[in-house]
Amino acid sequence: MHRILRLLAACLCFTWGMAPLLLCAAPKAKESRKHPPQETGFLNRRIQIGTTWYRYQVYVPEDWHRDEQKPWPVILFLHGRGERGAEGMWQTQIGLPEAIRDHPERWPFIVVMPQCSIDRYWTDKDMLAMAMAELDEETAEFHGDPARTYLMGLSMGGYGSWELARQHPTRWAAIAIAAGGIFWSYAPERWLQASTLPGEYAQAVGRTPIWLFHGAEDKIVAPRQDELLYTALKTAGGHVRLWVYQGLKHDCWTRAFDEPELPRWLLLHPRETQEPQPFAERISIPLHPPALKLTPTQLDSFAGEYVDKRGLVVVTLFRQGDLLYQKNHYGEIAELAAESTSVLFYPNGSSLTRIDVERDSQGRVTGLLLRDDRHEERWERIRAPLRTHSQD
């Protein structure tokens, strides 16, 4: 018995002694990354100017690589009055940063996002100097392309963008401003120069391509500001677009910066030795398309219950008189209108959302495809039209 116990003890000692060697010989787990990690996305930054530290953010696209020397386009973005502060992050909540989060694939840019101090304005000289210092800092670090450096701003940031456009007219390849102007709300006396001031800015920026956006119902920054600037730029032979959104108030930037054409337009205008040709375009964009008048029979053809891919009823469509309505699974009712016989929209809701109508070979409605600026969702029709909801 003692002999057996001594043998077992010897075996255990041998096993424990070999364990480290067995672990070393075991194959190592594969690395989870093919490349060393690097910082991309929205990054915290800070800069010291004099004795003051300023916090800000820079956006770096996911496919940027530090070991590549490829020059990248750069945007300097100035936020509005409500995003002022000292934490360096609040300015990333609306406007261009929001558009980037929704569609990063559209924005292959290094984006520098300064933050104006809480008790200051972007038109203050030291705030503009701070923004330019941060732009220089990030351009150097992330291989920014001087020939593709762009300027964007909204609201109070639009005021600041016009000042930077005027002070550094050769720095910018193109400029995009939403709900901005040159007649500052905190300096109403500037309106006394309404007959001359727009022309001075137009002369300063020359033919730098500028795209202006404004809501027709804006009560905070009057659309007249952009109308005066547009006229001055057109008269001076500038390169300008003005898009006026009907039905929108001060916040036109959400719609403007979601325009798929905007980032492409910026990249079409690198800063060249030869000036762009004179160009002027003013477009008034309706909030919704004209509604197509459908017959009761056509409206009834949409009526029914529609389910998602899990089989849950998502919406019910029904007619009342000459109107079509949608009731969702929360019991909320919204009117639907027809852009065409195969496309519906919400006349009292989002201007971007559309519902594509799917039909079989006999023309019967079989499903709906909800699409907006960010996603698509299909609903399948499961029942015959519910005529109990109809009222002729």
Side-chain angles (χ1 to χ4, degrees):
M1 183 68 181
H2 293 291
R3 190 180 305 169
I4 294 173
L5 291 175
R6 284 198 298 268
L7 180 61
L8 288 175
C11 291
L12 288 173
C13 290
F14 177 79
T15 302
W16 289 337
M18 291 296 294
L21 296 177
L22 293 172
L23 289 174
C24 292
K28 293 182 179 180
K30 293 183 178 180
E31 295 290 337
S32 60
R33 295 178 181 269
K34 294 183 179 179
H35 304 286
Q38 64 177 18
E39 285 189 316
T40 58
F42 288 81
L43 309 179
N44 295 325
R45 288 291 189 267
R46 65 175 188 161
I47 190 172
Q48 185 177 17
I49 301 178
T51 60
T52 304
W53 283 95
Y54 296 98
R55 297 182 182 275
Y56 64 102
Q57 288 216 354
V58 59
Y59 169 76
V60 182
E62 186 178 4
D63 54 351
W64 183 91
H65 294 285
R66 189 170 296 279
D67 56 355
E68 293 180 353
Q69 295 301 312
K70 180 182 74 170
W72 278 77
V74 183
I75 296 174
L76 175 64
F77 168 71
L78 302 186
H79 62 77
R81 184 170 183 167
E83 293 74 60
R84 294 179 297 178
E87 82 295 329
M89 293 185 288
W90 191 244
Q91 74 275 24
T92 68
Q93 302 304 305
I94 65 172
L96 178 58
E98 183 181 22
I100 291 172
R101 287 190 174 95
D102 286 347
H103 290 285
E105 75 283 357
R106 293 180 184 173
W107 296 95
F109 300 82
I110 303 297
V111 183
V112 183
M113 295 161 280
Q115 186 178 35
C116 184
S117 299
I118 191 67
D119 57 345
R120 308 302 296 277
Y121 298 102
W122 275 129
T123 50
D124 294 346
K125 292 181 179 180
D126 56 341
M127 291 293 98
L128 294 177
M130 173 264 290
M132 293 299 291
E134 293 172 3
L135 173 63
D136 292 339
E137 186 89 2
E138 303 309 319
T139 297
E141 179 178 354
F142 294 105
H143 315 148
D145 187 350
R148 293 181 297 164
T149 299
Y150 305 96
L151 177 63
M152 297 180 66
L154 64 86
S155 192
M156 185 190 75
Y159 294 164
S161 295
W162 273 111
E163 298 312 300
L164 290 179
R166 187 183 193 183
Q167 295 173 15
H168 308 277
T170 61
R171 183 72 184 266
W172 319 110
I175 301 168
I177 298 174
I182 59 174
F183 300 98
W184 315 331
S185 57
Y186 42 85
E189 68 277 2
R190 287 173 67 89
W191 278 104
L192 299 175
Q193 306 174 62
S195 61
T196 59
L197 205 55
E200 294 176 12
Y201 281 82
Q203 290 296 328
V205 301
R207 290 184 187 167
T208 301
I210 298 177
W211 194 345
L212 306 174
F213 303 92
H214 224 111
E217 309 300 324
D218 192 341
K219 305 300 183 185
I220 297 175
V221 178
R224 183 174 173 234
Q225 298 213 33
D226 271 341
E227 298 286 2
L228 290 171
L229 285 162
Y230 170 79
T231 300
L233 288 162
K234 180 179 179 181
T235 302
H239 192 103
V240 59
R241 308 177 81 175
L242 172 59
W243 281 21
V244 179
Y245 294 109
Q246 300 300 318
L248 293 189
K249 298 181 180 180
H250 189 48
D251 177 8
C252 71
W253 50 82
T254 299
R255 174 73 183 271
F257 295 162
D258 272 344
E259 294 286 357
E261 184 184 353
L262 177 55
R264 296 195 296 263
W265 177 85
L266 292 173
L267 293 172
L268 284 174
H269 295 93
R271 185 165 54 82
E272 301 172 339
T273 55
Q274 185 177 2
E275 286 188 326
Q277 293 298 312
F279 175 82
E281 172 192 80
R282 185 193 182 282
I283 296 178
S284 180
I285 301 175
L287 184 62
H288 296 292
L292 181 67
K293 182 70 173 179
L294 298 180
T295 66
T297 300
Q298 288 175 312
L299 293 173
D300 283 335
S301 70
F302 298 112
E305 292 183 323
Y306 296 81
V307 298
D308 62 15
K309 62 182 180 181
R310 297 169 297 178
L312 300 177
V313 176
V314 179
V315 295
T316 301
L317 268 57
F318 60 94
R319 175 176 71 88
Q320 284 190 344
D322 294 330
L323 298 178
L324 183 67
Y325 291 93
Q326 166 194 293
K327 181 179 180 180
N328 66 18
H329 57 291
Y330 298 111
E332 300 168 330
I333 295 176
E335 182 183 347
L336 288 172
E339 184 175 350
S340 68
T341 55
S342 58
V343 179
L344 306 175
F345 66 94
Y346 297 95
N348 300 313
S350 169
S351 62
L352 299 177
T353 305
R354 294 292 184 273
I355 298 177
D356 295 333
V357 180
E358 299 176 351
R359 290 185 169 86
D360 61 17
S361 58
Q362 283 75 42
R364 293 172 298 197
V365 176
T366 58
L368 303 174
L369 181 66
L370 175 76
R371 55 182 173 86
D372 57 24
D373 186 57
R374 296 185 61 192
H375 79 295
E376 293 183 350
E377 182 177 346
R378 186 179 182 278
W379 305 327
E380 184 178 356
R381 187 179 184 180
I382 61 168
R383 295 186 181 180
L386 302 179
R387 295 187 177 277
T388 57
H389 292 286
S390 299
Q391 295 181 0
D392 294 324

